[in-house]
Amino acid sequence: MFRYDYLWACEEASGNRRGLKQRPSCVILALGAGQAVYLAISHEPPRRGQVAVEIPPEVRTIAGLDGTRQWVVVSEFNFDRHGPRLVSIPGKRGQKRYGTLPPSFFEEVKSAFLAQRKAGTQKKVDRTKDAA
């Protein structure tokens, strides 16, 4: 998991090219040519039309996140080159990487992500054309 300049699909639809908020994000898939699929992690419960997996307290601790309830949103994703939009974690100068999700929770997120892909309801924000 990394601190990433995540661009929500609704922000992109409004003409933004940068995310309005940098946030923890989960890399669900790393591809050749340094490309990756990022899923946003949010303190906000899923809104209508969003699908997300809640991160259990023990996983938040292992992953280096704060203790507040959080969700991994699987109903949309950013497709981007890995690296250019990573930013430092607040209060941890130069550190861009949080911890790692335990394999069992990663599998849960991956399954939910793939179910959304299969349903054809995910929103994709392709940022590879304008990587910083």
Side-chain angles (χ1 to χ4, degrees):
M1 293 184 329
F2 298 89
R3 185 103 182 150
Y4 174 71
D5 176 34
Y6 190 88
L7 180 64
W8 293 102
C10 62
E11 293 170 347
E12 180 190 44
S14 295
N16 292 306
R17 293 182 62 203
R18 296 188 64 185
L20 299 178
K21 179 182 175 186
Q22 299 162 341
R23 63 182 56 254
S25 298
C26 171
V27 174
I28 193 74
L29 180 64
L31 304 169
Q35 296 173 330
V37 174
Y38 292 89
L39 301 178
I41 296 175
S42 178
H43 286 101
E44 297 292 322
R47 295 183 206 111
R48 185 181 208 162
Q50 275 187 332
V51 178
V53 179
E54 186 168 6
I55 304 173
E58 63 277 7
V59 172
R60 290 193 306 261
T61 301
I62 291 167
L65 299 171
D66 66 42
T68 310
R69 290 178 77 186
Q70 296 177 58
W71 289 261
V72 179
V73 178
V74 297
S75 53
E76 69 172 78
F77 63 93
N78 279 197
F79 179 64
D80 203 353
R81 282 181 269 200
H82 185 62
R85 290 182 234 281
L86 299 182
V87 296
S88 294
I89 297 168
K92 297 184 179 182
R93 188 174 155 176
Q95 185 177 336
K96 300 175 182 179
R97 185 179 181 274
Y98 293 91
T100 303
L101 294 177
S104 60
F105 184 71
F106 181 83
E107 286 300 319
E108 183 180 341
V109 172
K110 184 173 92 173
S111 293
F113 174 80
L114 292 173
Q116 289 295 296
R117 295 286 303 152
K118 186 174 182 180
T121 57
Q122 269 175 336
K123 296 175 184 170
K124 174 184 177 181
V125 176
D126 186 347
R127 302 182 76 191
T128 58
K129 296 171 186 72
D130 67 313

